[in-house]
Amino acid sequence: MGIRIPVFFRDLMSRIMTKPLAREERKKQLLDAAITCFGQKGYHATQISDIIETAGVARGTFYLYFQGKREIFDYVMTELFGQVQKEIKTIPKEALSEIPNQIRGNIKRVLTLLMNNPLLAKILMSESVGLDEELDSRLRTFYNHILNYIRRGLNQGQEMGFVREGHIEIMAVSLLGCMKEVLYQHLLGTEKATPDEMTEEIYRMVIGAVQKQ
Amino acid sequence: MGIRIPVFFRDLMSRIMTKPLAREERKKQLLDAAITCFGQKGYHATQISDIIETAGVARGTFYLYFQGKREIFDYVMTELFGQVQKEIKTIPKEALSEIPNQIRGNIKRVLTLLMNNPLLAKILMSESVGLDEELDSRLRTFYNHILNYIRRGLNQGQEMGFVREGHIEIMAVSLLGCMKEVLYQHLLGTEKATPDEMTEEIYRMVIGAVQKQ
Amino acid sequence: MGIRIPVFFRDLMSRIMTKPLAREERKKQLLDAAITCFGQKGYHATQISDIIETAGVARGTFYLYFQGKREIFDYVMTELFGQVQKEIKTIPKEALSEIPNQIRGNIKRVLTLLMNNPLLAKILMSESVGLDEELDSRLRTFYNHILNYIRRGLNQGQEMGFVREGHIEIMAVSLLGCMKEVLYQHLLGTEKATPDEMTEEIYRMVIGAVQKQ
Amino acid sequence: MGIRIPVFFRDLMSRIMTKPLAREERKKQLLDAAITCFGQKGYHATQISDIIETAGVARGTFYLYFQGKREIFDYVMTELFGQVQKEIKTIPKEALSEIPNQIRGNIKRVLTLLMNNPLLAKILMSESVGLDEELDSRLRTFYNHILNYIRRGLNQGQEMGFVREGHIEIMAVSLLGCMKEVLYQHLLGTEKATPDEMTEEIYRMVIGAVQKQ
DNA sequence: AATGAATGAGGGTTCATTCAT
DNA sequence: GATGAATGAACCCTCATTCAT
């Protein structure tokens, strides 16, 4: 299985020339490989072999950094959640006139991030429901963060008189759904619009859906 | 020898009338078991053992009716697609004043169906992306049917002057997303509203999102 | 699986028009089907399904006539052994001048039989060694019959002064091998000669191999 | 850090010199086990469990070295073919007076090899016809090699005036059959002669069968 | 006698994880 | 720290045989 000499050479080189990778670096290397693999094939279809091949690391090494497949998937999720959340900025209360642009900005940043990281998007959209209880709850938590952000916006809007009365909860969920679905169909290849088009249209939908008449 | 004709008659009857029925019944029994299992655990985590235990048949029996796990999953998908599509009714052009109620009706029927069949909903929401190409395309087809329905409605609305101008495609996808997400969060347990509340709120979102000012 | 009405019709017809097949006829029908199948695919690759399909009989019916796969294979072997042995005629002692023709005749009859029944030949040549001890011994017995015939011929020949001295046993086995191998290569498609050519050449080999100088 | 170079050196040495060897050893160990099992029970009756038990390795280990049952059987066949072919030596044209001894030598070497390796012999004699097309053709190829050798010998003999005219093809096949059958009956336990006796007798048959009067 | 749906033991293969070097 | 050969539980599927009708 495979060519032996190159392995030896790679090894030889790495032993002579480089100090062992710092623990965090090596972990990141594996994490990146895992994101690639999970994104391409999904959790179940991804094998440890895929990850270590992508990372260029021996089988045993993997288990020096992660307890197993489930754990690295956990780490992947956490990493991705973090990336998305970084893009969402709370709208400051005082910048009243700026609200439309802020909302637009948030929508656009998240869409752009996800459209540029299809793997990330794919994992967020499609995986993990039903994998097991613990992961489901992690996903729930993630979307709750986002929903909270939307809820706060809607409440604020109501106070300020922009947003019509109504079931805030359902409104928030619906708005989240708009964005997820546009993204999802984009992943499926159904939808070919640009981030700007998508942002603008979603913005108009969102505004229309919740504004006072 | 004995009395031959009666035996033959009973047999004839049973062959024409009952046996094929029995076959379909048994198949349905397995299909139901599969829906239950896939709904609870997802495709990958579901084992043939789960399905046959749930159905209460022997291992070999399963393979008399389905070629394997993939095939029964296909059947399950087809079945579920059919159930959802049955609930969607095309709105007749002439009943102009009836349009709001018709839309409400469609939303409510689909939501009710899916809320009463959480397994069905779960499968539609969460499975199969990334499972494999063939199944992905089946899901794509399904949602395309629904999207077509929504697109037609939006186009009609534009002609009639109800619906504002805009990127029909993204609008349609967004509306689908609203409904899917409300349902999905309901499944996750985040959202506890009743079908009526959900229907009403979604209806208002949808109308607001697309109507002319 | 399959068209139901025709089955019913076939059945109906057979019930109304024919009396149930006599036990021996039905058994023969199954045996013929089995010879066909074993000949085409070998013992292991032949499934009960193949046999009953070929025979046009239901699964359960098979077990009314044979205890199982092994038993019908036993019957097949016995049947084939019988056919071959029928073709071999002992050469009468007195017909001294007739010996060459008698030998030629035996060789030709057996070759012709086997070349016209490739299934029979294939089974005799290739199957059953290693299947299990009992079958092995049956095969051994069969070839012993033939070897006995050859041994007797050689002994007689020695008494009469035609056949050189030597290890009769090995000579007999070798002669059997000549014929088996020519037949076997014929089955494999290597050898395309006619029965007459083969008979003549084998006869010359046999004679040359054992005759006194 | 510690002393790095020695570790690296030991490792380097072991990678280049010992590890690959170990791999081949393990493969050989499995191959030997497979030869034993296939020889004793035949292809179909041999289970992977038999092979790994005989080899004393775990189930998964088997699949590190072979893709499956079919592949290891292929390897076994190749191995055995090689062993037999090694024993056959082409007779040099010039050594005219040596021909008888050379033929005797070939016959004896092959017989001895096969009589000392009953498993090898059993596989060559009895397996694989009808197993599947690919393996059949492999066997055909093997015997063709041997037949070619015999054909060449006969042609040479005709040119030199030793061998009578006749259908070379059938003569060659017959001679092969002599040897195969003697061996086969030896395996079945019918024939108890020593290699020397068998060699001598076969030699005389062969010579008698083909020589000019 | 005939049917064919149902059975379930058994076999081949996969793959996450371990551990000696 | 790094390696990768070894492990074995787990899973899918087949097919000879049974038995209620």
Side-chain angles (χ1 to χ4, degrees):
Chain A
M1 180 105 356
I3 309 147
R4 303 197 69 83
I5 297 303
V7 169
F8 144 67
F9 258 124
R10 194 198 61 206
D11 224 60
L12 172 56
M13 288 296 105
S14 79
R15 268 151 206 274
I16 294 182
M17 314 211 50
T18 69
K19 53 190 169 206
L21 274 181
R23 185 165 176 84
E24 283 315 307
E25 277 175 68
R26 170 98 347 146
K27 199 162 182 175
K28 175 112 181 39
Q29 175 190 13
L30 280 163
L31 221 41
D32 287 345
I35 290 178
T36 304
C37 296
F38 287 135
Q40 273 166 1
K41 316 171 88 173
Y43 177 81
H44 285 102
T46 295
Q47 295 169 211
I48 299 297
S49 303
D50 298 319
I51 297 174
I52 62 175
E53 252 168 56
T54 304
V57 154
R59 192 164 288 268
T61 306
F62 174 87
Y63 288 91
L64 292 176
Y65 293 90
F66 298 96
Q67 293 208 29
K69 191 177 170 180
R70 258 292 306 288
E71 200 194 69
I72 201 173
F73 187 67
D74 260 32
Y75 272 84
V76 167
M77 296 294 271
T78 306
E79 165 76 12
L80 299 186
F81 292 169
Q83 286 187 32
V84 174
Q85 269 168 324
K86 255 193 346 220
E87 296 298 323
I88 301 175
K89 302 203 166 69
T90 306
I91 301 174
K93 230 174 180 161
E94 49 285 6
L96 211 143
S97 63
E98 280 302 300
I99 288 184
N101 280 336
Q102 301 256 13
I103 294 177
R104 262 199 195 86
N106 274 337
I107 295 174
K108 186 168 178 184
R109 276 194 303 279
V110 173
L111 278 181
T112 306
L113 170 70
L114 292 172
M115 289 173 77
N116 291 334
N117 295 277
L119 304 182
L120 191 165
K122 203 171 171 193
I123 292 176
L124 282 184
M125 289 298 119
S126 58
E127 269 295 346
S128 96
V129 175
L131 188 62
D132 62 45
E133 269 317 306
E134 196 194 327
L135 279 174
D136 271 23
S137 89
R138 186 181 281 276
L139 199 63
R140 205 155 32 221
T141 303
F142 170 68
Y143 282 124
N144 250 325
H145 280 305
I146 306 211
L147 280 173
N148 269 331
Y149 171 79
I150 301 180
R151 271 183 215 113
R152 272 203 307 276
L154 289 172
N155 278 322
Q156 234 174 70
Q158 277 187 338
E159 284 168 29
M160 295 179 188
F162 297 139
V163 173
R164 65 169 165 83
E165 93 296 353
H167 196 302
I168 289 281
E169 202 53 38
I170 301 181
M171 283 165 66
V173 169
S174 296
L175 296 183
L176 173 62
C178 285
M179 283 178 282
K180 277 179 68 175
E181 191 66 22
V182 170
L183 194 68
Y184 177 62
Q185 295 293 334
H186 180 79
L187 284 179
L188 285 183
T190 313
E191 185 46 63
K192 309 273 195 284
T194 65
D196 277 329
E197 282 178 306
M198 283 163 60
T199 303
E200 189 53 33
E201 201 62 41
I202 290 178
Y203 172 73
R204 287 178 67 185
M205 305 269 308
V206 164
I207 294 303
V210 301
Q211 80 186 340
K212 263 215 165 92
Q213 291 292 41
Chain B
M1 284 294 140
I3 309 161
R4 295 193 65 83
I5 298 302
V7 169
F8 147 66
F9 244 63
R10 193 200 60 207
D11 228 56
L12 171 58
M13 287 298 104
S14 79
R15 264 150 211 277
I16 293 182
M17 316 227 47
T18 58
K19 280 287 175 54
L21 192 64
R23 185 174 168 80
E24 285 313 309
E25 270 172 48
R26 172 66 31 114
K27 198 163 182 174
K28 176 117 181 36
Q29 174 190 12
L30 280 163
L31 224 40
D32 287 344
I35 290 178
T36 304
C37 295
F38 287 135
Q40 273 166 3
K41 317 171 85 173
Y43 177 82
H44 284 103
T46 295
Q47 297 167 210
I48 300 297
S49 303
D50 298 322
I51 297 175
I52 62 178
E53 258 166 51
T54 304
V57 299
R59 194 162 284 271
T61 305
F62 174 87
Y63 290 92
L64 288 178
Y65 294 89
F66 300 97
Q67 294 210 30
K69 194 175 165 182
R70 260 293 301 287
E71 201 194 71
I72 201 173
F73 187 66
D74 259 34
Y75 273 84
V76 167
M77 296 293 269
T78 306
E79 166 75 12
L80 299 187
F81 291 171
Q83 285 188 30
V84 173
Q85 270 169 322
K86 255 193 345 220
E87 297 299 324
I88 301 176
K89 303 204 166 69
T90 306
I91 301 175
K93 231 174 180 163
E94 50 284 5
L96 211 144
S97 63
E98 279 303 299
I99 289 183
N101 280 336
Q102 301 256 13
I103 295 177
R104 260 200 197 87
N106 275 336
I107 295 175
K108 185 168 179 186
R109 276 194 303 277
V110 172
L111 278 181
T112 305
L113 169 71
L114 293 172
M115 290 173 75
N116 290 336
N117 294 277
L119 304 180
L120 190 164
K122 201 169 173 195
I123 292 176
L124 283 184
M125 289 300 119
S126 58
E127 267 298 342
S128 101
V129 175
L131 187 62
D132 66 46
E133 268 317 306
E134 197 193 328
L135 281 174
D136 272 22
S137 92
R138 187 181 280 278
L139 200 62
R140 204 154 34 221
T141 304
F142 171 68
Y143 281 124
N144 250 325
H145 279 306
I146 306 213
L147 281 173
N148 268 331
Y149 171 80
I150 301 180
R151 274 183 213 111
R152 271 201 309 276
L154 290 173
N155 278 322
Q156 233 175 71
Q158 278 187 336
E159 283 169 30
M160 294 180 187
F162 297 141
V163 172
R164 64 171 167 84
E165 92 296 353
H167 197 304
I168 289 279
E169 203 53 39
I170 301 181
M171 283 165 66
V173 169
S174 296
L175 295 183
L176 173 62
C178 286
M179 284 179 281
K180 276 178 69 174
E181 191 65 23
V182 170
L183 195 67
Y184 178 62
Q185 295 293 334
H186 180 79
L187 285 178
L188 286 183
T190 313
E191 185 46 63
K192 309 275 196 283
T194 67
D196 276 328
E197 281 177 308
M198 283 163 62
T199 303
E200 190 54 32
E201 201 62 40
I202 290 178
Y203 172 73
R204 288 178 66 183
M205 304 269 308
V206 165
I207 294 303
V210 301
Q211 78 186 344
K212 261 211 167 98
Q213 292 294 35
Chain C
M1 181 106 354
I3 309 148
R4 304 196 69 83
I5 297 303
V7 169
F8 146 66
F9 259 122
R10 194 198 62 206
D11 223 61
L12 174 56
M13 288 297 104
S14 79
R15 268 151 206 275
I16 293 181
M17 314 210 52
T18 70
K19 54 190 169 203
L21 274 181
R23 183 162 177 87
E24 282 315 307
E25 277 174 68
R26 169 100 344 147
K27 198 162 182 174
K28 176 111 180 42
Q29 174 190 14
L30 279 163
L31 221 42
D32 287 345
I35 290 177
T36 304
C37 295
F38 286 135
Q40 274 166 2
K41 316 171 87 172
Y43 177 81
H44 284 102
T46 295
Q47 296 170 210
I48 300 297
S49 302
D50 298 320
I51 298 175
I52 62 176
E53 252 168 55
T54 305
V57 154
R59 192 163 287 267
T61 305
F62 174 87
Y63 289 91
L64 291 177
Y65 293 90
F66 298 96
Q67 292 206 29
K69 190 176 170 180
R70 258 293 306 288
E71 200 195 68
I72 201 173
F73 187 66
D74 260 32
Y75 273 85
V76 166
M77 295 295 271
T78 306
E79 166 74 12
L80 300 185
F81 291 169
Q83 287 187 30
V84 174
Q85 270 169 322
K86 255 191 348 218
E87 297 297 323
I88 301 174
K89 303 202 165 69
T90 307
I91 301 175
K93 228 170 180 164
E94 50 285 4
L96 210 142
S97 62
E98 279 303 299
I99 286 183
N101 281 336
Q102 301 255 13
I103 295 178
R104 261 200 197 86
N106 274 337
I107 295 175
K108 186 167 177 184
R109 275 195 304 278
V110 173
L111 277 181
T112 305
L113 170 70
L114 292 173
M115 289 173 78
N116 291 335
N117 296 276
L119 304 182
L120 192 163
K122 200 170 172 195
I123 292 176
L124 283 183
M125 289 299 120
S126 58
E127 270 297 345
S128 96
V129 175
L131 188 63
D132 64 46
E133 270 316 306
E134 196 194 329
L135 280 174
D136 271 23
S137 92
R138 187 182 283 274
L139 198 64
R140 205 154 34 221
T141 304
F142 171 69
Y143 281 123
N144 251 325
H145 279 305
I146 307 211
L147 280 173
N148 269 333
Y149 171 81
I150 301 178
R151 274 184 214 109
R152 270 201 309 276
L154 289 172
N155 278 323
Q156 231 175 72
Q158 277 187 336
E159 283 168 30
M160 296 177 186
F162 297 140
V163 172
R164 63 170 168 84
E165 91 297 353
H167 198 304
I168 289 282
E169 201 52 39
I170 302 181
M171 283 165 68
V173 169
S174 296
L175 296 183
L176 172 62
C178 285
M179 285 179 283
K180 275 179 69 175
E181 191 65 23
V182 170
L183 194 67
Y184 177 63
Q185 296 292 335
H186 180 79
L187 284 178
L188 286 183
T190 313
E191 183 47 61
K192 309 276 194 284
T194 65
D196 277 330
E197 282 178 307
M198 283 164 58
T199 303
E200 190 54 32
E201 200 62 41
I202 291 179
Y203 172 74
R204 289 178 64 185
M205 303 267 310
V206 166
I207 295 303
V210 302
Q211 80 187 339
K212 263 215 166 90
Q213 290 294 36
Chain D
M1 285 296 140
I3 308 161
R4 294 194 66 82
I5 297 302
V7 169
F8 147 66
F9 244 62
R10 192 202 60 205
D11 227 56
L12 172 57
M13 287 297 105
S14 79
R15 266 150 210 278
I16 294 181
M17 317 226 46
T18 58
K19 280 286 175 55
L21 191 63
R23 182 174 170 82
E24 284 313 309
E25 269 171 48
R26 171 67 32 115
K27 197 162 184 174
K28 177 117 179 35
Q29 174 191 13
L30 279 163
L31 224 39
D32 287 345
I35 290 177
T36 305
C37 295
F38 287 135
Q40 273 165 3
K41 318 171 85 172
Y43 177 82
H44 284 102
T46 296
Q47 297 167 210
I48 300 297
S49 304
D50 297 322
I51 298 175
I52 61 176
E53 258 166 50
T54 305
V57 299
R59 194 160 283 270
T61 305
F62 174 86
Y63 289 92
L64 288 177
Y65 295 90
F66 300 97
Q67 293 209 30
K69 192 175 168 182
R70 260 293 302 288
E71 201 193 71
I72 201 174
F73 186 66
D74 260 33
Y75 273 84
V76 166
M77 296 294 271
T78 306
E79 165 74 13
L80 300 186
F81 291 172
Q83 286 188 30
V84 174
Q85 268 169 322
K86 255 191 348 217
E87 297 299 325
I88 301 175
K89 303 204 166 68
T90 306
I91 300 175
K93 231 172 179 161
E94 50 286 5
L96 212 141
S97 63
E98 279 304 298
I99 288 182
N101 281 336
Q102 300 256 14
I103 295 178
R104 260 200 198 85
N106 275 335
I107 295 174
K108 185 168 177 185
R109 278 194 302 277
V110 173
L111 277 181
T112 306
L113 170 69
L114 292 172
M115 289 173 76
N116 290 336
N117 296 276
L119 303 181
L120 192 165
K122 201 170 172 195
I123 292 176
L124 282 184
M125 289 299 121
S126 58
E127 266 299 344
S128 101
V129 175
L131 187 62
D132 65 48
E133 268 316 305
E134 196 193 329
L135 282 173
D136 271 23
S137 92
R138 187 180 280 277
L139 199 64
R140 202 155 34 221
T141 303
F142 171 69
Y143 282 124
N144 250 326
H145 279 305
I146 307 213
L147 281 173
N148 268 332
Y149 171 80
I150 302 178
R151 275 182 213 111
R152 270 201 310 276
L154 289 173
N155 279 321
Q156 231 175 74
Q158 278 187 335
E159 285 168 28
M160 295 179 185
F162 297 142
V163 173
R164 63 172 167 83
E165 91 298 352
H167 197 303
I168 289 280
E169 201 53 38
I170 301 181
M171 284 165 65
V173 170
S174 296
L175 296 183
L176 172 62
C178 286
M179 284 178 283
K180 275 178 70 173
E181 192 65 23
V182 170
L183 195 67
Y184 178 62
Q185 296 292 335
H186 180 80
L187 284 180
L188 286 183
T190 312
E191 184 47 63
K192 311 276 194 285
T194 66
D196 276 330
E197 280 177 308
M198 282 163 60
T199 303
E200 191 53 32
E201 201 61 41
I202 290 178
Y203 173 74
R204 288 177 66 185
M205 303 269 308
V206 165
I207 295 302
V210 302
Q211 80 187 341
K212 263 213 167 94
Q213 292 294 36

